[in-house]
Amino acid sequence: MNPISPSRRRLLRGAASAIALPAAFGAGAQPVREFRIGHQKGFLSLLKGRGTLEQRLAPLGVKPTWTEFTAGPVQLEALNVGAIDFGDVGEAPPIFAQAAGAPLAYVAATVPRPKAEGVLVPKGSPIRAAADLKGRKVALNKGSNVHYFLVKLLEKHGLKYADVNVVFLPPADARAAFEKGSIDAWVIWDPFLAAAQKSLDATLLADATGVVGNRAYYFSSLSYADKNLDVLRVAIEEINKIDIWAKLNRDLLAAELAPLFGIPKPVLDLSTARAEYGTGPVTPAILAEQQQIADTFLALKLIPRRIQVRDVARSPWAAA
């Protein structure tokens, strides 16, 4: 994570305070406890729309406020300047944040979702297997979950990271480059993965099955987690209820997510059908997976120092 300029720091704080927080529920009531949620388009958006979290937290004197961000790393920047208390992110961004000294705490993790990320090549490409990527131009979003996936996929097929020409591009730019034929392969996650398969007839060279887990994480700050584990426990329980519903209602889930992402429902049908659902505690085994990612990034000189992931894990269930 790069140093945050004073102007960006003010912007992040302003974004998170855009929704006014009432001082109390009513005359004589105790002040409302803060719970400032940062979120990307996705399951937290569904939770916001349902209003069930507000109902569960009201007896605790907590009223959530919500701020939408474009990506996980931006949420972590907001956390770093004290603008939010909770958010969702993929595997890689919190490693960069911890290495940069951000006060994040892992508080929950999803089940593995290996089919939700993959390597795409154009239809008719001579690249038929991962080993054929040697010497090719491969685009990905730097420091993202797919960055680690590519490293491990190459290793599995006898290649080194240096054997491919990696081009760092955000999803929109990578798709444009893919369409123009200026890259040979694109490593990307759903729903962008499904969209390219459906609209560009792209070929899925490999997904992450048998390579990496591809989990998502829910995070807080160390200071907030140490004082509000009861709030975090309720939030994660409500998130998991959305997961349970999604697993049993994939068609309805796709219909609800399509307008949220601005993507046609058939694309969401593909991505939701292959997704896995479930959110729970960050276990020692999960932390070991995350530590392996951190050690890999250190070896590639993508982070400046070794970190211990377990040092920033907190269990909301410890307050149960």
Side-chain angles (χ1 to χ4, degrees):
M1 180 179 295
N2 295 324
I4 302 170
S5 67
S7 60
R8 183 165 180 80
R9 188 181 296 266
R10 289 192 296 271
L11 179 64
L12 290 165
R13 283 177 173 155
S17 61
I19 302 173
L21 181 68
F25 285 112
Q30 292 297 314
V32 175
R33 266 201 286 172
E34 284 190 321
F35 188 38
R36 301 165 300 168
I37 302 171
H39 67 102
Q40 306 171 59
K41 293 185 188 300
F43 274 28
L44 282 178
S45 304
L46 302 184
L47 180 61
K48 177 186 177 184
R50 282 159 171 73
T52 56
L53 182 60
E54 282 78 0
Q55 295 171 17
R56 286 283 311 277
L57 290 177
L60 300 178
V62 179
K63 184 173 179 61
T65 58
W66 303 78
T67 303
E68 185 175 302
F69 293 87
T70 57
V74 188
Q75 290 185 71
L76 289 166
E77 288 183 15
L79 180 87
N80 194 35
V81 300
I84 62 172
D85 305 309
F86 184 74
D88 56 331
V89 72
E91 293 170 321
I95 289 170
F96 288 90
Q98 185 183 354
L104 75 94
Y106 293 91
V107 296
T110 68
V111 297
R113 307 170 303 172
K115 293 183 181 297
E117 62 181 359
V119 180
L120 294 174
V121 296
K123 183 179 180 180
S125 170
I127 300 172
R128 302 296 178 85
D132 297 335
L133 292 171
K134 185 173 183 178
R136 301 288 187 165
K137 189 178 290 187
V138 182
L140 57 82
N141 195 56
K142 184 178 182 179
S144 66
N145 54 338
V146 294
H147 201 158
Y148 179 65
F149 165 45
L150 177 64
V151 172
K152 304 309 288 186
L153 180 68
L154 294 173
E155 285 182 4
K156 184 176 180 179
H157 292 271
L159 298 178
K160 298 178 181 178
Y161 182 67
D163 287 334
V164 300
N165 181 11
V166 176
V167 180
F168 295 130
L169 294 172
D173 293 340
R175 177 176 170 123
F178 188 84
E179 289 188 68
K180 290 188 296 185
S182 57
I183 57 174
D184 300 303
W186 181 20
V187 196
I188 189 60
W189 59 88
D190 273 331
F192 304 106
L193 176 66
Q197 288 180 272
K198 286 287 189 181
S199 62
L200 303 180
D201 203 17
T203 298
L204 180 63
L205 185 71
D207 64 28
T209 302
V211 183
V212 298
N214 186 35
R215 298 179 189 270
Y217 289 89
Y218 292 92
F219 65 85
S220 184
S221 69
L222 289 168
S223 60
Y224 190 88
D226 287 341
K227 298 175 182 177
N228 298 279
L229 288 177
D230 56 338
V231 176
L232 296 172
R233 184 175 70 253
V234 170
I236 294 159
E237 287 172 356
E238 290 303 308
I239 291 166
N240 192 48
K241 288 179 183 178
I242 300 283
D243 273 292
I244 293 169
W245 172 85
K247 186 175 183 178
L248 299 174
N249 298 276
R250 294 176 193 244
D251 183 67
L252 292 175
L253 174 65
E256 195 166 346
L257 289 177
L260 183 67
F261 285 115
I263 293 175
K265 184 175 178 293
V267 172
L268 273 302
D269 286 331
L270 176 58
S271 64
T272 57
R274 63 189 173 199
E276 301 293 337
Y277 302 97
T279 300
V282 180
T283 65
I286 292 173
L287 292 173
E289 291 176 12
Q290 193 71 345
Q291 186 64 50
Q292 186 177 20
I293 300 173
D295 293 344
T296 298
F297 283 170
L298 178 65
L300 293 172
K301 296 181 170 43
L302 294 173
I303 59 174
R305 63 184 180 89
R306 178 174 172 79
I307 59 172
Q308 289 292 342
V309 173
R310 65 174 181 269
D311 292 345
V312 296
R314 298 291 185 269
S315 174
W317 289 267

